[in-house]
Amino acid sequence: MFKFIIVAFMLLFNLHADNKAALEAFKKSDYKKAFEIYEKNAKNGDTTAQSALSYLYANGLGTSKDIEKSIYWLEKSAISGNANAQYDLGMFYLRGNNVEQDSKKAFEFLSKSSEQNNANAQYDLALMYYKGDGVDLNVTKSVQLLESAAISGHKIAQQNVGRVYMQLLKFDEASKWFEKNAAEGDTTVYHFLAEIYCELEDFAKAKAWAQKAIDEGNKEAVELYKKYELQKY
């Protein structure tokens, strides 16, 4: 038994080493060599190689272009648990790329990828929940996924999570993200922050953010400033 485990481990190590060699060949545009290595590893069950092989078939790199074989290897990788393949396949089904459009299958594969903390999958799954596409509309679930993606560094999620929290009237969570956006140079959130702090009756902060928004030419901020008489604070 112990000997078998060592042999299996060495085989796995060699597969990973071969994938590295395939990647280096790919970077050097030696697609034929990359294809040969990835194909060998894919047939031995390496999910990373299966996903890479799918890409090569899809683009006709190192082999003839073959969409059917591309989808075959992508599905094989996704079903075996590769998070990136699950995301790619989910987006194919969502958009109808090379497969028949199917929101339910898209939701299935994006969910599996999301559970493995794939930030891209979390973001696109959040949009599905937000729109009720392939799943019951659930804005609360949407914002939870957006926040997970944002925490992982997904830029578009970071830009939008505050807006969805604001829609849900969760002002503390919204302000946290808006202030992060503002610190990174997003001037469009100044007015939102002014609105939030007016709602929270923290008028000194509201005044500061409203003034920043006014300086950027935001007319709504001017009206907000007048409505709450922020000059008093």
Side-chain angles (χ1 to χ4, degrees), residues 37-49:
I37 298 171
Y38 279 134
E39 183 182 41
K40 173 187 172 184
N41 292 348
K43 289 180 177 179
N44 284 326
D46 186 294
T47 62
T48 299

Side-chain angles (χ1 to χ4, degrees), residues 83-85 87 110 113-123 149 152:
N84 290 328
Y87 171 71
L110 288 177
S113 184
S114 173
E115 288 167 3
Q116 297 192 67
N117 297 316
N118 183 303
N120 290 323
Q122 290 169 340
Y123 174 76
S152 295

Side-chain angles (χ1 to χ4, degrees), residues 180-192:
K180 179 178 175 62
N181 297 152
E184 293 177 353
D186 185 354
T187 60
T188 65
V189 301
Y190 294 168
H191 175 243
F192 293 135

Side-chain angles (χ1 to χ4, degrees), residues 9-215:
F9 174 79
M10 292 304 297
L11 177 61
L12 184 62
F13 177 81
N14 288 333
L15 284 176
H16 287 307
D18 283 352
N19 280 341
K20 185 176 180 181
L23 181 59
E24 289 300 318
F26 180 88
K27 289 178 178 178
K28 294 176 182 177
S29 299
D30 188 350
Y31 301 125
K32 184 176 180 181
K33 181 178 179 181
F35 177 84
E36 289 173 353
I37 298 171
Y38 279 134
E39 183 182 41
K40 173 187 172 184
N41 292 348
K43 289 180 177 179
N44 284 326
D46 186 294
T47 62
T48 299
Q50 290 167 351
S51 182
L53 191 63
S54 170
Y55 178 84
L56 294 177
Y57 270 121
N59 292 280
L61 299 173
T63 186
S64 299
K65 185 173 181 177
D66 192 322
I67 298 302
E68 286 188 11
K69 287 184 178 179
S70 173
I71 296 300
Y72 168 82
W73 285 110
L74 189 63
E75 286 184 335
K76 199 168 184 64
S77 180
I79 291 169
S80 297
N82 185 288
N84 290 328
Q86 289 168 344
Y87 171 71
D88 290 339
L89 187 59
M91 294 306 294
F92 278 12
Y93 277 118
L94 186 64
R95 296 170 178 166
N97 291 346
N98 300 325
V99 294
E100 185 176 348
Q101 198 280 335
D102 190 326
S103 294
K104 290 186 177 180
K105 284 188 176 180
F107 177 79
E108 175 190 348
F109 283 106
L110 288 177
S111 294
K112 289 178 179 179
S113 184
S114 173
E115 288 167 3
Q116 297 192 67
N117 297 316
N118 183 303
N120 290 323
Q122 290 169 340
Y123 174 76
D124 285 293
L125 192 61
L127 295 185
M128 295 186 76
Y129 273 111
Y130 190 82
K131 299 174 183 176
D133 183 8
V135 64
D136 291 338
L137 189 151
N138 188 330
V139 180
T140 299
K141 181 66 175 176
S142 175
V143 79
Q144 290 171 349
L145 287 163
L146 270 180
E147 184 159 53
S148 293
I151 290 170
S152 295
H154 193 287
K155 292 299 182 183
I156 301 176
Q158 290 173 349
Q159 293 166 3
N160 286 283
V161 63
R163 288 167 167 81
V164 182
Y165 270 131
M166 194 170 182
Q167 290 177 25
L168 293 172
L169 305 181
K170 294 187 176 183
F171 298 126
D172 288 336
E173 289 88 346
S175 64
K176 177 186 72 174
W177 283 104
F178 283 143
E179 291 204 14
K180 179 178 175 62
N181 297 152
E184 293 177 353
D186 185 354
T187 60
T188 65
V189 301
Y190 294 168
H191 175 243
F192 293 135
L193 282 164
E195 281 191 312
I196 285 173
Y197 285 120
C198 282
E199 290 289 340
L200 296 174
E201 298 185 351
D202 189 340
F203 296 113
K205 283 187 177 181
K207 177 183 179 180
W209 287 111
Q211 188 59 61
K212 283 179 177 287
I214 291 168
D215 292 343

